[in-house]
Amino acid sequence: NATGCSSIYSGSTPSTPFTTDKNGQGPAWCNSLFEDNAEFGLGIKMGDILQKEKLIHIFENSNLSEENKELVDNWINNDYDLESSKKLINNFDFNEAIKAERLKKYILPKTTWIIGGDGWAYDIGFGGLDHVMASGEDVNVLVLDTEVYSNTGGQKSKSTRSGATAKFASGGKTGTKKDLARIFMSYDNVYVASISLGGNMQQTIKALDEAEKHKGPSIVIAYAPCITHGIK
Protein backbone atom coordinates (compact mmCIF):
# COMPACT_ATOMS: atom_id res chain seq x y z
CA ASN A 1 0.00 0.00 0.00
CA ALA A 2 3.07 2.26 0.04
CA THR A 3 3.02 5.18 -2.32
CA GLY A 4 5.73 5.18 -4.93
CA CYS A 5 6.55 5.64 -8.57
CA SER A 6 7.63 2.54 -10.41
CA SER A 7 9.09 2.85 -13.85
CA ILE A 8 10.79 0.49 -16.27
CA TYR A 9 13.27 3.21 -16.92
CA SER A 10 16.93 4.04 -17.33
CA GLY A 11 19.34 4.10 -14.41
CA SER A 12 19.31 7.90 -14.26
CA THR A 13 16.21 8.23 -12.06
CA PRO A 14 16.60 10.09 -8.73
CA SER A 15 17.28 6.86 -6.80
CA THR A 16 17.09 3.19 -7.63
CA PRO A 17 18.01 0.01 -5.73
CA PHE A 18 17.92 -2.02 -8.96
CA THR A 19 20.93 -2.67 -11.16
CA THR A 20 20.91 -1.94 -14.88
CA ASP A 21 22.82 -3.36 -17.81
CA LYS A 22 25.69 -1.63 -19.59
CA ASN A 23 23.23 0.41 -21.65
CA GLY A 24 21.52 1.70 -18.51
CA GLN A 25 18.44 -0.45 -19.11
CA GLY A 26 16.49 -2.28 -16.43
CA PRO A 27 13.76 -1.67 -13.88
CA ALA A 28 14.06 1.34 -11.62
CA TRP A 29 12.11 2.46 -8.58
CA CYS A 30 11.84 5.90 -7.07
CA ASN A 31 9.74 7.29 -4.25
CA SER A 32 7.81 10.54 -4.07
CA LEU A 33 5.94 12.47 -1.44
CA PHE A 34 2.59 10.83 -0.68
CA GLU A 35 0.45 13.52 -2.29
CA ASP A 36 2.74 14.10 -5.29
CA ASN A 37 2.90 10.55 -6.61
CA ALA A 38 1.06 11.09 -9.90
CA GLU A 39 2.86 14.33 -10.77
CA PHE A 40 6.22 12.77 -9.88
CA GLY A 41 5.57 9.84 -12.22
CA LEU A 42 4.43 12.16 -14.99
CA GLY A 43 7.64 14.13 -14.54
CA ILE A 44 9.70 11.01 -15.16
CA LYS A 45 7.72 10.29 -18.31
CA MET A 46 8.17 13.88 -19.54
CA GLY A 47 11.91 13.59 -18.85
CA ASP A 48 12.12 10.57 -21.15
CA ILE A 49 10.19 12.45 -23.85
CA LEU A 50 12.59 15.39 -23.53
CA GLN A 51 15.64 13.14 -23.97
CA LYS A 52 14.11 11.64 -27.11
CA GLU A 53 13.51 15.16 -28.44
CA LYS A 54 17.20 15.95 -27.78
CA LEU A 55 18.20 12.85 -29.73
CA ILE A 56 16.01 13.82 -32.67
CA HIS A 57 17.52 17.34 -32.66
CA ILE A 58 21.03 15.85 -32.73
CA PHE A 59 20.14 13.47 -35.57
CA GLU A 60 18.50 16.23 -37.61
CA ASN A 61 21.54 18.47 -37.26
CA SER A 62 24.11 15.79 -38.12
CA ASN A 63 25.43 14.84 -41.53
CA LEU A 64 24.05 11.30 -41.65
CA SER A 65 24.55 8.66 -44.31
CA GLU A 66 21.47 7.29 -46.07
CA GLU A 67 21.68 4.10 -43.98
CA ASN A 68 21.76 6.00 -40.70
CA LYS A 69 19.02 8.40 -41.80
CA GLU A 70 16.79 5.45 -42.70
CA LEU A 71 17.33 3.92 -39.23
CA VAL A 72 16.41 7.21 -37.53
CA ASP A 73 13.34 7.78 -39.72
CA ASN A 74 12.15 4.22 -39.06
CA TRP A 75 12.56 4.78 -35.30
CA ILE A 76 10.57 8.03 -35.35
CA ASN A 77 7.84 6.82 -37.72
CA ASN A 78 7.24 3.68 -35.66
CA ASP A 79 6.76 5.66 -32.45
CA TYR A 80 10.03 4.43 -30.91
CA ASP A 81 8.81 0.81 -30.78
CA LEU A 82 11.10 -1.97 -29.55
CA GLU A 83 12.12 -3.38 -32.92
CA SER A 84 12.99 -0.03 -34.53
CA SER A 85 14.78 1.01 -31.33
CA LYS A 86 16.95 -2.13 -31.32
CA LYS A 87 17.81 -1.66 -34.98
CA LEU A 88 18.85 1.93 -34.32
CA ILE A 89 21.04 1.04 -31.33
CA ASN A 90 22.69 -1.97 -32.97
CA ASN A 91 23.22 -0.62 -36.49
CA PHE A 92 23.64 3.16 -36.16
CA ASP A 93 27.14 4.54 -36.70
CA PHE A 94 27.48 6.92 -33.76
CA ASN A 95 30.65 8.38 -35.27
CA GLU A 96 28.29 10.40 -37.44
CA ALA A 97 26.47 11.79 -34.38
CA ILE A 98 28.84 11.57 -31.43
CA LYS A 99 26.64 13.64 -29.10
CA ALA A 100 23.85 11.09 -29.55
CA GLU A 101 25.92 8.22 -28.17
CA ARG A 102 25.75 9.43 -24.57
CA LEU A 103 21.94 9.53 -24.87
CA LYS A 104 21.48 6.18 -26.61
CA LYS A 105 19.99 4.57 -23.48
CA TYR A 106 16.92 6.75 -24.13
CA ILE A 107 16.37 5.20 -27.57
CA LEU A 108 14.59 2.14 -26.20
CA PRO A 109 10.89 2.57 -25.29
CA LYS A 110 10.21 3.06 -21.58
CA THR A 111 7.15 2.10 -19.56
CA THR A 112 6.12 4.26 -16.60
CA TRP A 113 3.93 2.83 -13.84
CA ILE A 114 2.71 5.03 -11.00
CA ILE A 115 1.78 2.88 -8.01
CA GLY A 116 -0.03 3.90 -4.85
CA GLY A 117 -2.77 3.04 -2.40
CA ASP A 118 -6.37 4.19 -2.09
CA GLY A 119 -5.54 6.87 0.49
CA TRP A 120 -3.43 8.53 -2.18
CA ALA A 121 -5.57 7.88 -5.27
CA TYR A 122 -9.04 8.49 -3.78
CA ASP A 123 -8.16 11.17 -1.22
CA ILE A 124 -4.92 13.03 -0.64
CA GLY A 125 -3.45 12.76 -4.15
CA PHE A 126 -6.68 12.73 -6.15
CA GLY A 127 -6.22 16.25 -7.56
CA GLY A 128 -2.81 15.36 -8.98
CA LEU A 129 -4.04 12.01 -10.26
CA ASP A 130 -6.93 13.72 -12.04
CA HIS A 131 -4.52 16.19 -13.63
CA VAL A 132 -2.27 13.38 -14.89
CA MET A 133 -5.18 11.34 -16.25
CA ALA A 134 -6.45 14.42 -18.11
CA SER A 135 -2.98 15.21 -19.53
CA GLY A 136 -3.21 12.60 -22.28
CA GLU A 137 0.35 11.40 -21.61
CA ASP A 138 1.17 7.71 -21.92
CA VAL A 139 1.51 6.77 -18.25
CA ASN A 140 0.04 3.85 -16.32
CA VAL A 141 -1.42 3.99 -12.81
CA LEU A 142 -1.89 1.00 -10.50
CA VAL A 143 -4.02 1.65 -7.43
CA LEU A 144 -3.58 -0.91 -4.64
CA ASP A 145 -7.04 -0.50 -3.15
CA THR A 146 -7.23 -1.85 0.41
CA GLU A 147 -10.35 0.27 1.04
CA VAL A 148 -8.78 1.74 4.19
CA TYR A 149 -5.72 3.75 5.26
CA SER A 150 -3.50 0.75 5.93
CA ASN A 151 -0.14 2.46 6.47
CA THR A 152 -1.38 4.72 9.26
CA GLY A 153 -3.34 2.23 11.29
CA GLY A 154 -6.76 1.86 9.71
CA GLN A 155 -8.64 5.09 9.12
CA LYS A 156 -11.53 5.09 6.65
CA SER A 157 -10.87 6.57 3.21
CA LYS A 158 -13.15 7.57 0.35
CA SER A 159 -12.58 4.04 -0.89
CA THR A 160 -14.04 2.48 2.25
CA ARG A 161 -17.41 0.86 1.62
CA SER A 162 -20.65 1.92 3.24
CA GLY A 163 -21.07 0.39 6.70
CA ALA A 164 -17.50 -0.89 6.88
CA THR A 165 -15.60 -0.56 10.14
CA ALA A 166 -11.91 0.13 10.65
CA LYS A 167 -9.68 0.53 13.68
CA PHE A 168 -10.28 4.28 13.74
CA ALA A 169 -13.81 4.10 12.29
CA SER A 170 -15.47 1.65 14.65
CA GLY A 171 -18.86 3.28 14.10
CA GLY A 172 -18.85 2.31 10.45
CA LYS A 173 -18.52 4.32 7.26
CA THR A 174 -21.41 6.56 6.28
CA GLY A 175 -21.81 7.20 2.59
CA THR A 176 -20.86 5.03 -0.35
CA LYS A 177 -17.47 4.23 -1.84
CA LYS A 178 -16.14 6.81 -4.29
CA ASP A 179 -16.40 5.45 -7.85
CA LEU A 180 -12.90 6.22 -9.11
CA ALA A 181 -13.30 4.07 -12.22
CA ARG A 182 -16.46 5.87 -13.34
CA ILE A 183 -14.80 9.26 -12.81
CA PHE A 184 -11.96 8.45 -15.19
CA MET A 185 -14.22 6.70 -17.68
CA SER A 186 -15.62 10.18 -18.38
CA TYR A 187 -12.35 11.08 -20.17
CA ASP A 188 -12.05 10.19 -23.85
CA ASN A 189 -8.66 8.48 -23.89
CA VAL A 190 -8.18 6.85 -20.49
CA TYR A 191 -8.03 3.07 -20.21
CA VAL A 192 -9.79 1.93 -17.01
CA ALA A 193 -9.81 -1.54 -15.48
CA SER A 194 -10.71 -3.12 -12.15
CA ILE A 195 -8.84 -6.26 -11.09
CA SER A 196 -8.36 -8.71 -8.24
CA LEU A 197 -5.49 -11.18 -8.51
CA GLY A 198 -7.26 -13.69 -6.28
CA GLY A 199 -10.56 -13.24 -8.10
CA ASN A 200 -9.38 -13.77 -11.67
CA MET A 201 -5.69 -14.12 -12.46
CA GLN A 202 -6.14 -14.23 -16.27
CA GLN A 203 -8.25 -11.06 -16.27
CA THR A 204 -5.61 -9.37 -14.10
CA ILE A 205 -2.83 -10.23 -16.54
CA LYS A 206 -4.96 -9.20 -19.53
CA ALA A 207 -5.89 -5.84 -17.96
CA LEU A 208 -2.27 -4.98 -17.09
CA ASP A 209 -1.17 -5.92 -20.61
CA GLU A 210 -3.93 -3.82 -22.19
CA ALA A 211 -3.06 -0.87 -19.94
CA GLU A 212 0.57 -1.10 -21.01
CA LYS A 213 -0.30 -1.22 -24.72
CA HIS A 214 -2.82 1.64 -24.53
CA LYS A 215 -1.44 4.81 -26.10
CA GLY A 216 -2.53 7.28 -23.46
CA PRO A 217 -3.21 7.32 -19.72
CA SER A 218 -4.37 4.12 -18.07
CA ILE A 219 -5.54 3.32 -14.55
CA VAL A 220 -5.92 -0.15 -13.08
CA ILE A 221 -7.69 -0.38 -9.72
CA ALA A 222 -6.62 -3.53 -7.86
CA TYR A 223 -8.64 -4.77 -4.90
CA ALA A 224 -5.93 -5.63 -2.38
CA PRO A 225 -6.95 -7.52 0.78
CA CYS A 226 -4.96 -6.34 3.76
CA ILE A 227 -4.21 -7.32 7.36
CA THR A 228 -6.29 -4.30 8.41
CA HIS A 229 -9.37 -6.18 7.17
CA GLY A 230 -8.77 -8.82 9.83
CA ILE A 231 -8.35 -11.48 7.14
CA LYS A 232 -5.74 -14.07 8.09
Side-chain angles (χ1 to χ4, degrees):
N1 193 34
T3 311
C5 166
S6 176
S7 167
I8 301 174
Y9 200 69
S10 71
S12 61
T13 47
S15 65
T16 170
F18 295 96
T19 57
T20 56
D21 63 22
K22 64 182 180 180
N23 292 319
Q25 302 304 319
W29 177 274
C30 49
N31 294 308
S32 70
L33 292 172
F34 186 87
E35 67 274 16
D36 297 334
N37 191 16
E39 301 94 320
F40 193 81
L42 178 62
I44 288 178
K45 179 65 179 180
M46 298 306 292
D48 182 63
I49 293 172
L50 178 62
Q51 297 304 322
K52 283 181 169 55
E53 289 176 353
K54 284 183 180 179
L55 274 165
I56 292 171
H57 178 76
I58 292 169
F59 290 142
E60 288 178 343
N61 288 276
S62 300
N63 187 20
L64 302 181
S65 63
E66 286 300 315
E67 293 82 359
N68 271 345
K69 190 174 185 304
E70 184 177 339
L71 287 168
V72 171
D73 290 343
N74 184 53
W75 177 63
I76 295 171
N77 294 334
N78 284 288
D79 198 26
Y80 323 122
D81 71 2
L82 186 59
E83 287 305 311
S84 62
S85 297
K86 285 182 176 179
K87 285 181 182 178
L88 181 57
I89 289 174
N90 295 329
N91 300 302
F92 188 85
D93 182 3
F94 284 96
N95 290 319
E96 293 185 7
I98 295 175
K99 289 182 179 180
E101 188 166 18
R102 65 184 177 85
L103 297 174
K104 71 178 182 180
K105 64 185 179 183
Y106 295 102
I107 290 174
L108 285 173
K110 309 296 191 304
T111 297
T112 302
W113 279 91
I114 301 166
I115 302 173
D118 53 279
W120 157 69
Y122 285 75
D123 291 351
I124 296 173
F126 174 74
L129 177 61
D130 180 63
H131 170 74
V132 171
M133 288 291 98
S135 72
E137 297 297 338
D138 189 10
V139 294
N140 309 292
V141 174
L142 176 62
V143 180
L144 303 179
D145 187 2
T146 66
E147 300 186 331
V148 68
Y149 276 88
S150 301
N151 280 352
T152 50
Q155 297 88 350
K156 61 186 177 183
S157 75
K158 289 190 183 73
S159 173
T160 307
R161 294 185 180 275
S162 178
T165 60
K167 186 175 181 180
F168 294 101
S170 57
K173 164 77 177 292
T174 58
T176 58
K177 176 173 179 171
K178 184 176 183 178
D179 197 340
L180 196 66
R182 189 178 296 273
I183 290 170
F184 291 124
M185 285 169 65
S186 67
Y187 292 124
D188 292 335
N189 190 35
V190 176
Y191 174 89
V192 181
S194 177
I195 63 172
S196 175
L197 183 63
N200 190 328
M201 187 177 291
Q202 285 303 114
Q203 185 262 346
T204 295
I205 294 169
K206 181 182 179 183
L208 292 172
D209 183 56
E210 288 177 349
E212 156 62 23
K213 291 176 179 176
H214 176 67
K215 297 300 181 184
S218 71
I219 182 165
V220 179
I221 303 168
Y223 174 62
C226 161
I227 192 172
T228 310
H229 296 161
I231 301 171
K232 301 198 181 214

PDB file of all heavy atoms in Angstrom, residues 182-203:
ATOM      1  N   ARG A 182     -15.466   5.125 -12.570  1.00  0.00           N
ATOM      2  CA  ARG A 182     -16.460   5.874 -13.344  1.00  0.00           C
ATOM      3  C   ARG A 182     -15.997   7.308 -13.599  1.00  0.00           C
ATOM      4  O   ARG A 182     -16.266   7.879 -14.666  1.00  0.00           O
ATOM      5  CB  ARG A 182     -17.809   5.870 -12.621  1.00  0.00           C
ATOM      6  CG  ARG A 182     -18.943   6.444 -13.448  1.00  0.00           C
ATOM      7  CD  ARG A 182     -20.262   6.371 -12.696  1.00  0.00           C
ATOM      8  NE  ARG A 182     -20.658   5.002 -12.454  1.00  0.00           N
ATOM      9  CZ  ARG A 182     -21.355   4.277 -13.331  1.00  0.00           C
ATOM     10  NH1 ARG A 182     -21.722   4.799 -14.476  1.00  0.00           N
ATOM     11  NH2 ARG A 182     -21.693   3.041 -13.034  1.00  0.00           N
ATOM     12  N   ILE A 183     -15.305   7.893 -12.633  1.00  0.00           N
ATOM     13  CA  ILE A 183     -14.800   9.264 -12.810  1.00  0.00           C
ATOM     14  C   ILE A 183     -13.884   9.336 -14.019  1.00  0.00           C
ATOM     15  O   ILE A 183     -14.008  10.207 -14.885  1.00  0.00           O
ATOM     16  CB  ILE A 183     -14.076   9.743 -11.546  1.00  0.00           C
ATOM     17  CG1 ILE A 183     -15.072   9.973 -10.403  1.00  0.00           C
ATOM     18  CG2 ILE A 183     -13.274  11.020 -11.825  1.00  0.00           C
ATOM     19  CD1 ILE A 183     -14.423  10.223  -9.060  1.00  0.00           C
ATOM     20  N   PHE A 184     -12.944   8.383 -14.106  1.00  0.00           N
ATOM     21  CA  PHE A 184     -11.960   8.447 -15.193  1.00  0.00           C
ATOM     22  C   PHE A 184     -12.485   7.877 -16.505  1.00  0.00           C
ATOM     23  O   PHE A 184     -11.912   8.136 -17.557  1.00  0.00           O
ATOM     24  CB  PHE A 184     -10.657   7.775 -14.762  1.00  0.00           C
ATOM     25  CG  PHE A 184      -9.931   8.552 -13.701  1.00  0.00           C
ATOM     26  CD1 PHE A 184      -9.598   7.966 -12.490  1.00  0.00           C
ATOM     27  CD2 PHE A 184      -9.619   9.885 -13.895  1.00  0.00           C
ATOM     28  CE1 PHE A 184      -8.956   8.694 -11.499  1.00  0.00           C
ATOM     29  CE2 PHE A 184      -8.977  10.624 -12.913  1.00  0.00           C
ATOM     30  CZ  PHE A 184      -8.645  10.030 -11.717  1.00  0.00           C
ATOM     31  N   MET A 185     -13.574   7.132 -16.444  1.00  0.00           N
ATOM     32  CA  MET A 185     -14.223   6.700 -17.683  1.00  0.00           C
ATOM     33  C   MET A 185     -14.863   7.874 -18.418  1.00  0.00           C
ATOM     34  O   MET A 185     -15.207   7.770 -19.606  1.00  0.00           O
ATOM     35  CB  MET A 185     -15.277   5.635 -17.377  1.00  0.00           C
ATOM     36  CG  MET A 185     -14.688   4.271 -17.062  1.00  0.00           C
ATOM     37  SD  MET A 185     -15.897   3.109 -16.390  1.00  0.00           S
ATOM     38  CE  MET A 185     -17.010   2.916 -17.776  1.00  0.00           C
ATOM     39  N   SER A 186     -15.024   9.002 -17.734  1.00  0.00           N
ATOM     40  CA  SER A 186     -15.617  10.176 -18.380  1.00  0.00           C
ATOM     41  C   SER A 186     -14.639  10.870 -19.327  1.00  0.00           C
ATOM     42  O   SER A 186     -15.045  11.706 -20.139  1.00  0.00           O
ATOM     43  CB  SER A 186     -16.100  11.180 -17.321  1.00  0.00           C
ATOM     44  OG  SER A 186     -15.009  11.740 -16.603  1.00  0.00           O
ATOM     45  N   TYR A 187     -13.333  10.531 -19.235  1.00  0.00           N
ATOM     46  CA  TYR A 187     -12.348  11.085 -20.166  1.00  0.00           C
ATOM     47  C   TYR A 187     -12.291  10.237 -21.432  1.00  0.00           C
ATOM     48  O   TYR A 187     -12.472   9.023 -21.387  1.00  0.00           O
ATOM     49  CB  TYR A 187     -10.971  11.153 -19.507  1.00  0.00           C
ATOM     50  CG  TYR A 187     -10.875  12.163 -18.389  1.00  0.00           C
ATOM     51  CD1 TYR A 187     -10.472  11.780 -17.107  1.00  0.00           C
ATOM     52  CD2 TYR A 187     -11.176  13.500 -18.599  1.00  0.00           C
ATOM     53  CE1 TYR A 187     -10.385  12.697 -16.071  1.00  0.00           C
ATOM     54  CE2 TYR A 187     -11.082  14.427 -17.580  1.00  0.00           C
ATOM     55  CZ  TYR A 187     -10.679  14.018 -16.321  1.00  0.00           C
ATOM     56  OH  TYR A 187     -10.607  14.932 -15.313  1.00  0.00           O
ATOM     57  N   ASP A 188     -11.992  10.869 -22.559  1.00  0.00           N
ATOM     58  CA  ASP A 188     -12.050  10.188 -23.850  1.00  0.00           C
ATOM     59  C   ASP A 188     -10.979   9.113 -24.032  1.00  0.00           C
ATOM     60  O   ASP A 188     -11.233   8.087 -24.645  1.00  0.00           O
ATOM     61  CB  ASP A 188     -11.920  11.207 -24.997  1.00  0.00           C
ATOM     62  CG  ASP A 188     -13.131  12.114 -25.094  1.00  0.00           C
ATOM     63  OD1 ASP A 188     -14.207  11.689 -24.645  1.00  0.00           O
ATOM     64  OD2 ASP A 188     -12.993  13.235 -25.607  1.00  0.00           O
ATOM     65  N   ASN A 189      -9.781   9.354 -23.528  1.00  0.00           N
ATOM     66  CA  ASN A 189      -8.664   8.483 -23.894  1.00  0.00           C
ATOM     67  C   ASN A 189      -7.989   7.856 -22.674  1.00  0.00           C
ATOM     68  O   ASN A 189      -6.768   7.720 -22.636  1.00  0.00           O
ATOM     69  CB  ASN A 189      -7.624   9.277 -24.713  1.00  0.00           C
ATOM     70  CG  ASN A 189      -6.569   8.362 -25.313  1.00  0.00           C
ATOM     71  OD1 ASN A 189      -6.862   7.235 -25.707  1.00  0.00           O
ATOM     72  ND2 ASN A 189      -5.333   8.832 -25.362  1.00  0.00           N
ATOM     73  N   VAL A 190      -8.757   7.503 -21.679  1.00  0.00           N
ATOM     74  CA  VAL A 190      -8.183   6.853 -20.494  1.00  0.00           C
ATOM     75  C   VAL A 190      -8.655   5.404 -20.445  1.00  0.00           C
ATOM     76  O   VAL A 190      -9.855   5.122 -20.495  1.00  0.00           O
ATOM     77  CB  VAL A 190      -8.598   7.584 -19.199  1.00  0.00           C
ATOM     78  CG1 VAL A 190      -8.071   6.832 -17.972  1.00  0.00           C
ATOM     79  CG2 VAL A 190      -8.055   9.012 -19.194  1.00  0.00           C
ATOM     80  N   TYR A 191      -7.692   4.485 -20.379  1.00  0.00           N
ATOM     81  CA  TYR A 191      -8.031   3.069 -20.207  1.00  0.00           C
ATOM     82  C   TYR A 191      -8.290   2.822 -18.723  1.00  0.00           C
ATOM     83  O   TYR A 191      -7.477   3.191 -17.873  1.00  0.00           O
ATOM     84  CB  TYR A 191      -6.876   2.184 -20.687  1.00  0.00           C
ATOM     85  CG  TYR A 191      -7.082   0.704 -20.415  1.00  0.00           C
ATOM     86  CD1 TYR A 191      -7.734  -0.108 -21.335  1.00  0.00           C
ATOM     87  CD2 TYR A 191      -6.647   0.135 -19.221  1.00  0.00           C
ATOM     88  CE1 TYR A 191      -7.938  -1.453 -21.080  1.00  0.00           C
ATOM     89  CE2 TYR A 191      -6.849  -1.213 -18.956  1.00  0.00           C
ATOM     90  CZ  TYR A 191      -7.487  -2.001 -19.890  1.00  0.00           C
ATOM     91  OH  TYR A 191      -7.687  -3.328 -19.627  1.00  0.00           O
ATOM     92  N   VAL A 192      -9.413   2.186 -18.401  1.00  0.00           N
ATOM     93  CA  VAL A 192      -9.795   1.931 -17.012  1.00  0.00           C
ATOM     94  C   VAL A 192     -10.086   0.446 -16.827  1.00  0.00           C
ATOM     95  O   VAL A 192     -10.806  -0.153 -17.639  1.00  0.00           O
ATOM     96  CB  VAL A 192     -11.045   2.753 -16.617  1.00  0.00           C
ATOM     97  CG1 VAL A 192     -11.414   2.492 -15.161  1.00  0.00           C
ATOM     98  CG2 VAL A 192     -10.806   4.244 -16.845  1.00  0.00           C
ATOM     99  N   ALA A 193      -9.530  -0.139 -15.785  1.00  0.00           N
ATOM    100  CA  ALA A 193      -9.813  -1.539 -15.481  1.00  0.00           C
ATOM    101  C   ALA A 193      -9.859  -1.728 -13.974  1.00  0.00           C
ATOM    102  O   ALA A 193      -9.218  -0.995 -13.213  1.00  0.00           O
ATOM    103  CB  ALA A 193      -8.753  -2.458 -16.092  1.00  0.00           C
ATOM    104  N   SER A 194     -10.630  -2.730 -13.557  1.00  0.00           N
ATOM    105  CA  SER A 194     -10.710  -3.123 -12.152  1.00  0.00           C
ATOM    106  C   SER A 194     -10.296  -4.584 -12.058  1.00  0.00           C
ATOM    107  O   SER A 194     -10.808  -5.416 -12.824  1.00  0.00           O
ATOM    108  CB  SER A 194     -12.133  -2.929 -11.630  1.00  0.00           C
ATOM    109  OG  SER A 194     -12.232  -3.366 -10.287  1.00  0.00           O
ATOM    110  N   ILE A 195      -9.373  -4.905 -11.156  1.00  0.00           N
ATOM    111  CA  ILE A 195      -8.841  -6.265 -11.092  1.00  0.00           C
ATOM    112  C   ILE A 195      -8.767  -6.759  -9.659  1.00  0.00           C
ATOM    113  O   ILE A 195      -8.794  -5.980  -8.703  1.00  0.00           O
ATOM    114  CB  ILE A 195      -7.424  -6.354 -11.718  1.00  0.00           C
ATOM    115  CG1 ILE A 195      -6.421  -5.491 -10.922  1.00  0.00           C
ATOM    116  CG2 ILE A 195      -7.444  -5.956 -13.192  1.00  0.00           C
ATOM    117  CD1 ILE A 195      -4.974  -5.657 -11.351  1.00  0.00           C
ATOM    118  N   SER A 196      -8.669  -8.073  -9.523  1.00  0.00           N
ATOM    119  CA  SER A 196      -8.356  -8.710  -8.245  1.00  0.00           C
ATOM    120  C   SER A 196      -7.597  -9.984  -8.567  1.00  0.00           C
ATOM    121  O   SER A 196      -8.147 -10.894  -9.200  1.00  0.00           O
ATOM    122  CB  SER A 196      -9.623  -9.038  -7.454  1.00  0.00           C
ATOM    123  OG  SER A 196      -9.301  -9.757  -6.275  1.00  0.00           O
ATOM    124  N   LEU A 197      -6.352 -10.042  -8.170  1.00  0.00           N
ATOM    125  CA  LEU A 197      -5.493 -11.178  -8.513  1.00  0.00           C
ATOM    126  C   LEU A 197      -6.109 -12.488  -8.035  1.00  0.00           C
ATOM    127  O   LEU A 197      -6.136 -13.484  -8.753  1.00  0.00           O
ATOM    128  CB  LEU A 197      -4.104 -10.993  -7.899  1.00  0.00           C
ATOM    129  CG  LEU A 197      -3.072 -12.074  -8.230  1.00  0.00           C
ATOM    130  CD1 LEU A 197      -2.787 -12.115  -9.711  1.00  0.00           C
ATOM    131  CD2 LEU A 197      -1.771 -11.830  -7.460  1.00  0.00           C
ATOM    132  N   GLY A 198      -6.658 -12.487  -6.807  1.00  0.00           N
ATOM    133  CA  GLY A 198      -7.262 -13.694  -6.276  1.00  0.00           C
ATOM    134  C   GLY A 198      -8.595 -14.027  -6.917  1.00  0.00           C
ATOM    135  O   GLY A 198      -9.028 -15.180  -6.918  1.00  0.00           O
ATOM    136  N   GLY A 199      -9.255 -13.026  -7.475  1.00  0.00           N
ATOM    137  CA  GLY A 199     -10.559 -13.237  -8.095  1.00  0.00           C
ATOM    138  C   GLY A 199     -10.455 -13.817  -9.491  1.00  0.00           C
ATOM    139  O   GLY A 199     -11.205 -14.730  -9.856  1.00  0.00           O
ATOM    140  N   ASN A 200      -9.529 -13.299 -10.302  1.00  0.00           N
ATOM    141  CA  ASN A 200      -9.381 -13.770 -11.671  1.00  0.00           C
ATOM    142  C   ASN A 200      -7.980 -13.415 -12.162  1.00  0.00           C
ATOM    143  O   ASN A 200      -7.730 -12.291 -12.581  1.00  0.00           O
ATOM    144  CB  ASN A 200     -10.446 -13.143 -12.573  1.00  0.00           C
ATOM    145  CG  ASN A 200     -10.492 -13.777 -13.954  1.00  0.00           C
ATOM    146  OD1 ASN A 200      -9.480 -14.219 -14.481  1.00  0.00           O
ATOM    147  ND2 ASN A 200     -11.677 -13.802 -14.542  1.00  0.00           N
ATOM    148  N   MET A 201      -7.087 -14.390 -12.108  1.00  0.00           N
ATOM    149  CA  MET A 201      -5.692 -14.121 -12.463  1.00  0.00           C
ATOM    150  C   MET A 201      -5.533 -13.777 -13.943  1.00  0.00           C
ATOM    151  O   MET A 201      -4.777 -12.868 -14.314  1.00  0.00           O
ATOM    152  CB  MET A 201      -4.818 -15.317 -12.109  1.00  0.00           C
ATOM    153  CG  MET A 201      -3.331 -15.064 -12.300  1.00  0.00           C
ATOM    154  SD  MET A 201      -2.294 -16.459 -11.798  1.00  0.00           S
ATOM    155  CE  MET A 201      -2.541 -16.433 -10.030  1.00  0.00           C
ATOM    156  N   GLN A 202      -6.262 -14.479 -14.823  1.00  0.00           N
ATOM    157  CA  GLN A 202      -6.141 -14.228 -16.266  1.00  0.00           C
ATOM    158  C   GLN A 202      -6.630 -12.832 -16.626  1.00  0.00           C
ATOM    159  O   GLN A 202      -6.029 -12.138 -17.436  1.00  0.00           O
ATOM    160  CB  GLN A 202      -6.919 -15.283 -17.053  1.00  0.00           C
ATOM    161  CG  GLN A 202      -6.246 -16.640 -17.106  1.00  0.00           C
ATOM    162  CD  GLN A 202      -4.844 -16.559 -17.695  1.00  0.00           C
ATOM    163  OE1 GLN A 202      -3.858 -16.801 -16.996  1.00  0.00           O
ATOM    164  NE2 GLN A 202      -4.742 -16.219 -18.956  1.00  0.00           N
ATOM    165  N   GLN A 203      -7.734 -12.413 -15.997  1.00  0.00           N
ATOM    166  CA  GLN A 203      -8.248 -11.065 -16.268  1.00  0.00           C
ATOM    167  C   GLN A 203      -7.278 -10.013 -15.760  1.00  0.00           C
ATOM    168  O   GLN A 203      -7.102  -8.950 -16.365  1.00  0.00           O
ATOM    169  CB  GLN A 203      -9.622 -10.892 -15.609  1.00  0.00           C
ATOM    170  CG  GLN A 203     -10.308  -9.573 -15.928  1.00  0.00           C
ATOM    171  CD  GLN A 203     -10.125  -8.514 -14.847  1.00  0.00           C
ATOM    172  OE1 GLN A 203      -9.696  -8.825 -13.730  1.00  0.00           O
ATOM    173  NE2 GLN A 203     -10.443  -7.275 -15.191  1.00  0.00           N
TER     174      GLN A 203
END
